[in-house]
């Protein structure tokens, strides 16, 4: 089931579907490796709006689970081309993580 959901989301051109899945992953603190891998891809996606949602979702994870995303979130917090709201969200998550 998990693989089919990920395949569907990746094949979708709908940002609404993608952001909804990312939000759900964060709210539900999903630890499934396939979903966590998708979360990483959302942080690497070219769309800053998806970055913001993914950073927010990571911020809802346990401190231990957040560690896997620390380097990417740190990079987004200082990336010159990222919008300020993305940088601010990244800084909040890093501060909460204690990085």
């Amino acid at each position: 089931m998990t693989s089919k959901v990920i395949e569907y989301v990746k094949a979708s051109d709908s940002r609404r579907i993608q952001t909804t899945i990312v939000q759900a992953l964060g709210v539900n603190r999903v630890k499934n490796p396939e979903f966590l891998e998708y979360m990483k891809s959302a942080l690497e996606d070219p769309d800053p709006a998806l970055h913001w949602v993914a950073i927010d979702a990571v911020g809802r994870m346990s401190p231990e689970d957040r560690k896997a995303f620390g380097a990417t979130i740190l990079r987004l917090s200082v990336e010159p081309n990222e919008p300020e709201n993305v940088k601010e969200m990244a800084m909040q998550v890093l501060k909460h993580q204690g990085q």
Side-chain angles (χ1 to χ4, degrees), residues 7-86:
E7 286 175 28
Y8 175 77
V9 173
K10 285 183 176 181
S12 172
D13 288 337
S14 171
R15 283 295 181 207
R16 184 173 181 190
I17 290 172
Q18 294 168 347
T19 57
T20 299
I21 292 296
V22 170
Q23 286 171 330
L25 295 174
V27 169
N28 293 303
R29 297 181 175 192
V30 174
K31 294 185 177 200
N32 178 293
E34 288 181 271
F35 283 133
L36 294 176
E37 191 61 37
Y38 179 71
M39 185 72 73
K40 286 180 184 179
S41 71
L43 289 167
E44 298 294 335
D45 190 272
D47 184 357
L50 192 54
H51 293 169
W52 190 95
V53 172
I55 293 167
D56 180 56
V58 169
R60 296 171 188 274
M61 294 177 177
S62 71
E64 187 172 308
D65 292 334
R66 271 196 306 259
K67 288 179 184 178
F69 302 95
T72 303
I73 292 177
L74 179 61
R75 180 184 57 76
L76 291 171
S77 74
V78 297
E79 180 68 40
N81 296 327
E82 286 294 328
E84 286 304 311
N85 66 329
V86 172

